Amino acid sequence: MKNDTGRRPDLSVVIAGVEFKNPVMTGSGTFGSGMEYAEFVDLNRLGAVVTKGVSNVPWPGNPTPRVAEVYGGMLNAIGLQNPGVDVFIERDLAFLEDYDTKVIVNVCGKSIRDYLDVVEKLADLKRVDMLEINVSCPNVKEGAIAFGVNADSLFEITQKIKRVAAQPVIMKLTPNVTSISEMAKAAEAGGADAISLINTLTGMKIDVERQSFVLANKTGGLSGPAIHPVAVRMVYEAAHAVGIPVIGMGGIASWEDAVEMMLAGATAVAVGAMNFADPRITEKVIDGMEDYLVRHGIDSIRSIIGAVK
Amino acid sequence: MADMKTKTGTTVIKNTKIADGVFDMTLRYPEGKAPSEVKPGQFVGVFMNDASKLLPRPISICGWDPEKRDLRLVYRVAGKGTKELSEASSGDAFEVLGILGNGYDIRVLAGKRVLLAGGGIGAPPLLGLANALAGAPVPAQVTAALGYRTADLFLKDEFEKTSRTVIATDDGTYGFHGNVIDAVRNELVREGELPFDVICACGPLPMLRAVKALAKEFSVPAYLSLEERMACGVGACLGCVVKTAGEDPHSHVHNARICTEGPVFKAEDVEI
């Protein structure tokens, strides 16, 4: 598709020196390592694949039921089941070698040492373009979110990870805080190269017929279109609080949602739960964004970032 | 790309109530978009047309007609999504993801003496299996033990076309008075020597636990078809896991994905 000047609009964005062919990424935990969706989506078209959270050792996750649908969204309490960083490197990263897309590895842990172990193991790997540090998962008892709801803890873990990380670091923030601006500033002060938000909002669903919790974990993270306006507001606030790039996510279900997030201040966006509703959603979002730029006579998507003040 | 998993628009050919809360639906694939292979025990994800319902409903396949490109789903209304499905009329459209999961291997079961154990809405995928086994080059000898709550039966007549069929009802209003497990035990002790080579079971979890215990007691191999709340249906979200005896191939944490490694498992491989 071409604009008035006859050129295709430029969809590329740059975060911490890493150039992405377009701003559309996958939300960690909703796309496996890309392998699971490679039969549905041309991974080469994506700005980046953001992989499922990986820890230093395998994690079994929570008991089932782990997922529940709610109006316009879903709750999950997977509990970060993952095979650990060694299997991840051998199998999942090796799989991604064949694709022309950036790879952002989401890292989780129960202690700072756990995070550092994973970050150190990934340091020498050329296939890893960036790290996304999950300090915002509401579904594990220790670690994870504990580091993301207190500005001092967030500052400390960011600083420690930055000391050992070879790749640029994105801190993934939780919306379950009083002030997202304060948390964004703490991550920036700790040296984060970028922040991503929002992770899921903590929710609960009760089965009224059985008079019991639907999720075995009782609470779960709410995602999907239902949370999109909350995410736009928080991306806007965070983008105004810090100078580092913001990756916006939370209920993106269409190109309009993605453009909205960028107008609010995001440099890139991630599509999460909607991958389940439409495995080809990411490609549709990319196509729709390009069409939007053409219709508005905009040469580069970078010029819409934060355009609505 | 015949083997590519895709989300495909299908058309409702029929959608008939066959028992209280149980519907028999036929969805037709468009020409050129039909799945290349469908095995008994596999499932599809059916998307609702109401976009506030995000997730595909995992529904087991009851039958597949490759000539007409017709997929048969027999489902129970269990929530808002299946309620919407039950209100569909012929001509309505539904998008379908799949064919998903691993089903039964007919080559392994062909020629064997097979006991099917179906509890309630566990019966439909077993009907697909019974029909496939009857059509195998070396047909299996199939007995179907089916449990229902009441005499409000469904699919019984179709099972009887290919299989010796034993019906149990919880309230005794039809057939054997008892649950399907009592009926399965009766079948296992029916003759002097063990009359079956393999059991294939689908139904509620307590029933599957009991089938697993019986299979161990009688030293007969069993396959269990499991269900769980799912999100993606393709192995990405790790929502629908079951504890396994050995390391699972994905996460190596004894938690296999029902949508991907299953839904059909060997009884001894799962800890339910």
Side-chain angles (χ1 to χ4, degrees), chain B residues 132-196:
Chain B
L133 290 173
V138 189
Q141 276 180 55
V142 179
T143 297
L146 306 173
Y148 299 88
R149 285 178 199 150
T150 68
D152 188 19
L153 311 176
F154 52 93
L155 305 180
K156 170 180 114 19
D157 297 348
E158 291 186 74
F159 273 101
E160 284 175 343
K161 285 180 190 161
T162 61
S163 315
R164 199 174 77 79
T165 303
V166 180
I167 304 291
T169 53
D170 293 342
D171 65 357
T173 48
Y174 191 96
F176 177 82
H177 187 176
N179 65 30
V180 67
I181 291 303
D182 302 326
V184 166
R185 178 177 280 281
N186 279 355
E187 289 303 311
L188 288 167
V189 299
R190 188 161 47 87
E191 291 165 26
E193 66 183 72
L194 190 66
F196 298 104

Side-chain angles (χ1 to χ4, degrees), chain A residues 32 36-37 39-40 58-60 64-67 69-74 78 81 83 87 91 214 225 276-278, chain B residues 3-5 7 47 52-57 97 228-232 234-239 241 249-251 253 255:
Chain A
E36 294 83 351
Y37 275 108
E39 288 180 281
F40 295 97
W59 282 8
T64 57
R66 292 177 170 184
V67 292
E69 191 180 74
V70 294
Y71 194 90
M74 63 175 287
I78 308 296
Q81 175 176 329
V87 169
R91 180 186 64 195
V214 173
F276 306 153
D278 181 359
Chain B
D3 294 323
M4 190 116 175
K5 292 174 188 164
K7 187 174 167 181
F47 291 92
S52 76
K53 302 183 186 101
L54 239 55
L55 303 175
R57 268 56 186 174
L97 186 73
E228 182 54 79
R229 283 176 182 269
M230 291 183 186
C232 72
V234 301
C237 74
L238 309 182
V241 297
H250 178 273
S251 304
V253 291
N255 266 342

Side-chain angles (χ1 to χ4, degrees), chain B residues 2 4 8 29-30 32-38 44 64 66 69 71 98-99:
Chain B
M4 190 116 175
T8 311
Y29 282 80
K33 297 267 181 78
S36 54
E37 194 187 10
V38 182
V44 289
W64 169 242
R69 306 180 306 280
L71 186 73
I99 307 299

Side-chain angles (χ1 to χ4, degrees), chain A residues 135-294:
Chain A
V135 285
S136 45
C137 177
N139 299 322
V140 293
K141 298 275 180 284
E142 314 150 72
I145 198 165
F147 298 107
V149 292
N150 176 288
D152 294 338
S153 310
L154 180 60
F155 171 81
E156 185 194 354
I157 192 171
T158 306
Q159 204 175 42
K160 285 185 171 160
I161 285 169
K162 273 301 290 178
R163 279 193 201 122
V164 300
Q167 296 91 351
V169 170
I170 306 161
M171 299 304 288
K172 183 167 183 177
L173 305 184
T174 173
N176 302 308
V177 293
T178 308
S179 168
I180 196 69
S181 304
E182 189 193 343
M183 305 311 293
K185 283 177 182 164
E188 183 179 46
D193 298 285
I195 52 175
S196 57
L197 65 150
I198 59 174
N199 204 319
T200 55
L201 291 147
T202 307
M204 178 181 280
K205 184 175 170 69
I206 290 170
D207 183 327
V208 297
E209 295 299 331
R210 293 180 183 157
Q211 301 194 350
S212 62
F213 300 102
V214 173
L215 297 176
N217 192 53
K218 296 185 184 174
T219 61
L222 176 64
S223 60
I227 71 168
H228 184 66
V230 178
V232 172
R233 186 265 296 176
M234 288 197 161
V235 164
Y236 177 85
E237 288 179 359
H240 283 77
V242 296
I244 52 177
V246 176
I247 303 170
M249 61 198 68
I252 293 179
S254 63
W255 66 264
E256 289 99 325
D257 295 341
V259 167
E260 186 183 6
M261 202 71 101
M262 292 189 72
L263 290 170
T267 300
V269 297
V271 180
M274 282 302 287
N275 287 301
F276 306 153
D278 181 359
R280 279 204 59 234
I281 184 73
T282 43
E283 291 190 64
K284 290 177 184 171
V285 169
I286 295 164
D287 291 342
M289 289 177 112
E290 187 171 6
D291 182 45
Y292 172 82
L293 296 181
V294 171

